[in-house]
Amino acid sequence: GENVEQHPSTLSVQEGDSAVIKCTYSDSASNYFPWYKQELGKGPQLIIDIRSNVGEKKDQRIAVTLNKTAKHFSLHITETQPEDSAVYFCAALRARQLTFGSGTQLTVLP
Amino acid sequence: SAVISQKPSRDICQRGTSLTIQCQVDSQVTMMFWYRQQPGQSLTLIATANQGSEATYESGFVIDKFPISRPNLTFSTLTVSNMSPEDSSIYLCSVGDSNYGYTFGSGTRLTVV
């Protein structure tokens, strides 16, 4: 089955700086890669996704890049704000099943 | 995207008892998914709930422990049976597909004492 590795497990940045979280996947058949933000006491919220036929996607301060050859994808958050502090999960979809990375605790320091 | 209502939001249960979690979606969906998130951990798929047929369970999860119902295209339940403290987790319902994305409910925070 699919295996998704996510790094780093924790990340602290100063407000206004950029944050980058990286994931690798094992199954070349995976074709959809969402990113989720989970705040304390809440369910995961989809923040951006990318499909395997696209190399990059951007939505305001958030961007995702995908390298199919290397089987890795990354989340980029620019101009970080304290409200960006949360746990972020990457995931890979294969055969209608999502496999999640282990999560990254992002802390934005004011 | 679909809106999911999940109940209860949290519960504290005695070991040996069972809890049924409900998931209601505001639109008809083909597939519904149940996940477990152990404290401080990632999400693990328990099973896929199919309308009109038995749920499909992932390795390590069995129907006797986690029976699932899917009576129609907008509703599903997950029961955690004969609970032990190791079952203390967040249980999450999800719906979606790769065209529209996968949405999660707010979760049920279960503590077994």
Side-chain angles (χ1 to χ4, degrees):
Chain A
E2 176 63 280
N3 181 50
V4 178
E5 294 191 359
Q6 182 172 347
H7 300 280
S9 57
T10 61
L11 178 60
S12 292
V13 299
Q14 289 294 135
E15 182 177 358
D17 287 350
S18 296
V20 180
I21 303 171
K22 299 182 179 181
C23 289
T24 61
Y25 61 100
S26 60
D27 194 333
S28 57
S30 291
N31 56 10
Y32 171 71
F33 307 91
W35 285 88
Y36 290 87
K37 176 184 181 182
Q38 187 174 29
E39 297 175 301
L40 198 61
K42 297 184 178 180
Q45 177 191 4
L46 178 67
I47 56 172
I48 196 168
D49 56 14
I50 192 167
R51 290 169 178 77
S52 58
N53 58 349
V54 176
E56 183 173 358
K57 183 177 178 180
K58 188 174 182 179
D59 183 5
Q60 299 183 342
R61 296 187 297 109
I62 296 174
V64 57
T65 59
L66 171 65
N67 184 325
K68 285 175 54 180
T69 302
K71 297 201 199 69
H72 66 71
F73 56 113
S74 301
L75 177 70
H76 304 253
I77 305 174
T78 60
E79 301 172 23
T80 54
Q81 302 166 2
E83 50 265 39
D84 294 329
S85 295
V87 179
Y88 290 81
F89 291 99
C90 63
L93 179 72
R94 178 185 177 279
R96 298 186 177 183
Q97 292 187 3
L98 283 175
T99 301
F100 285 81
S102 53
T104 297
Q105 174 68 63
L106 174 64
T107 302
V108 180
L109 305 169
Chain B
S1 58
V3 176
I4 300 173
S5 299
Q6 196 172 330
K7 294 191 297 187
S9 59
R10 60 179 65 243
D11 208 341
I12 301 173
C13 300
Q14 296 291 323
R15 67 179 66 198
T17 63
S18 298
L19 176 71
T20 295
I21 302 167
Q22 298 180 5
C23 179
Q24 178 74 54
V25 189
D26 69 344
S27 58
Q28 293 186 339
V29 294
T30 304
M31 300 172 76
M32 297 177 75
F33 307 89
W34 287 99
Y35 287 83
R36 182 176 73 183
Q37 186 176 26
Q38 294 178 301
Q41 302 296 312
S42 187
L43 288 76
T44 301
L45 182 64
I46 297 172
T48 302
N50 308 302
Q51 197 270 332
S53 63
E54 271 197 7
T56 304
Y57 289 83
E58 297 303 304
S59 176
F61 299 96
V62 295
I63 187 171
D64 289 346
K65 177 67 175 178
F66 298 101
I68 287 171
S69 78
R70 182 81 196 273
N72 57 53
L73 291 175
T74 64
F75 187 79
S76 177
T77 66
L78 169 75
T79 298
V80 186
S81 303
N82 188 25
M83 289 183 286
S84 66
E86 292 72 36
D87 294 321
S88 297
S89 292
I90 301 172
Y91 292 86
L92 295 149
C93 171
S94 176
V95 302
D97 58 39
S98 61
N99 291 319
Y100 300 103
Y102 288 76
T103 304
F104 285 82
S106 54
T108 295
R109 282 145 190 83
L110 171 63
T111 302
V112 183
V113 297

